[in-house]
Amino acid sequence: MANEEIKVNDNVYKVTINDQTRMYAMKLNRLYQQGFNDVDSFDEISSEISTTINNLLKNGLSPEVQEEDMDGAVKQLLHMFDKSKK
């Protein structure tokens, strides 16, 4: 398990990188791709996207992510996991 830090809007969060957070990041990427590839199904999967984001932030970052930081935190996490795959 690795730990890193990200900074979003002047707030610093510790990132826990483990199998669980990797799984949530991969699932979120897959759901985003599914939504982009089939726009008609986006409404159907939007609640699953929301749940996956909440699980990723809850299990992958500390302290708890402030609401205004969520979008930036998710973007940085997905970028971080994309880099680690390469």
Side-chain angles (χ1 to χ4, degrees):
M1 174 170 67
N3 289 311
E4 295 187 32
E5 290 185 348
I6 60 171
K7 187 174 182 180
V8 183
N9 299 328
D10 295 324
N11 294 310
V12 176
Y13 299 99
K14 289 188 177 199
V15 179
T16 302
I17 300 173
N18 58 28
D19 289 340
Q20 184 178 32
T21 54
R22 278 189 189 93
M23 181 205 55
Y24 286 130
M26 289 186 323
K27 181 177 181 177
L28 187 56
N29 271 325
R30 190 174 61 248
L31 289 168
Y32 279 153
Q33 288 302 316
Q34 183 180 348
F36 290 133
N37 291 333
D38 184 6
V39 179
D40 295 332
S41 72
F42 189 80
D43 287 339
E44 297 171 20
I45 62 170
S46 64
S47 66
E48 194 170 352
I49 289 172
S50 179
T51 300
T52 304
I53 287 172
N54 288 332
N55 286 334
L56 178 61
L57 295 178
K58 179 180 155 194
N59 294 293
L61 295 177
S62 64
E64 186 175 328
V65 178
Q66 296 180 19
E67 190 168 334
E68 63 270 12
D69 294 344
M70 286 183 174
D71 187 48
V74 169
K75 286 178 183 177
Q76 288 191 45
L77 283 172
L78 291 179
H79 180 71
M80 182 182 295
F81 284 105
D82 281 345
K83 276 190 343 190
S84 69
K85 285 192 315 190
K86 295 177 181 176

